Amino acid sequence: MNIKLDDLTGPEIRDLIMEHLHSMTLHSPPESIHALNLDELKKPEITFWSVWKEEELLGCGALKELDGQHGEIKSMRTSSSHLKRGVARRLLQHIIEEAKQRGYQRLSLETGSMDAFEPARNLYVSFGFGFCKPFSDYIEDPNSAFMTKEL
């Protein structure tokens, strides 16, 4: 697996982000969808990575700087043809290491509270993330699960 910075201009990543956004509409009401589109992912406070095996896109993820000590994981997605192969685990390790290198004291995320998001929640728990109150601009939402980890 090769993890690389991505400028979000390739057709493969565009398609994966579209798959990600579409999947959110299947499992969450519109007001509870916090996934970012391509333009939002290009903001300067967001670093975006893609995961490849040779010429095949396996997944993606991003790190958003909330402030100098707090980062947020965004847009974690494994291609549907590569689920349960360690892609998300490897990318999450990469993002945590990057957050530590930046000097962040905390890393947080928002994910769904529904059954479809249970594998994601379990992955985060296995890395030491715990459930928390909403952070940043989020508000309480029964469709959201908020998680955080001290680094």
Side-chain angles (χ1 to χ4, degrees), residues 25-45:
T25 66
L26 299 177
H27 302 291
S28 301
E31 67 275 9
S32 297
I33 297 174
H34 303 288
L36 303 177
N37 66 32
L38 282 171
D39 289 335
E40 293 167 322
L41 287 168
K42 292 178 183 178
K43 290 184 177 177
E45 66 271 19

Side-chain angles (χ1 to χ4, degrees), residues 15-32:
D15 291 347
L16 185 58
I17 295 299
M18 294 306 294
E19 177 186 328
H20 181 58
L21 293 171
H22 177 70
S23 175
M24 296 298 105
T25 66
L26 299 177
H27 302 291
S28 301
E31 67 275 9
S32 297

Side-chain angles (χ1 to χ4, degrees), residues 86-139:
V87 175
R89 180 167 294 280
R90 178 65 190 95
L91 184 55
L92 183 55
Q93 287 172 333
H94 179 83
I95 292 172
I96 291 170
E97 286 307 312
E98 177 67 22
K100 287 178 180 178
Q101 288 178 4
R102 292 181 182 188
Y104 293 167
Q105 301 298 308
R106 179 174 299 281
L107 191 55
S108 302
L109 63 98
E110 180 277 338
T111 189
S113 62
M114 293 71 84
D115 289 346
F117 298 95
E118 185 175 3
R121 293 190 307 270
N122 289 341
L123 173 67
Y124 296 125
V125 166
S126 76
F127 274 83
F129 284 81
F131 293 94
C132 65
K133 295 285 183 190
F135 59 92
S136 188
D137 296 331
Y138 292 105
I139 59 171

Side-chain angles (χ1 to χ4, degrees), residues 13 31 48 127 142 151:
I13 201 65
E31 67 275 9
F48 188 88
F127 274 83
L151 301 177

Side-chain angles (χ1 to χ4, degrees), residues 1-2 5 42 47 54 61 67 89 107 113-114 119 142 149:
M1 272 185 252
N2 180 28
L5 284 172
K42 292 178 183 178
T47 305
E54 297 170 13
D67 62 44
R89 180 167 294 280
L107 191 55
S113 62
M114 293 71 84
K149 173 184 176 70

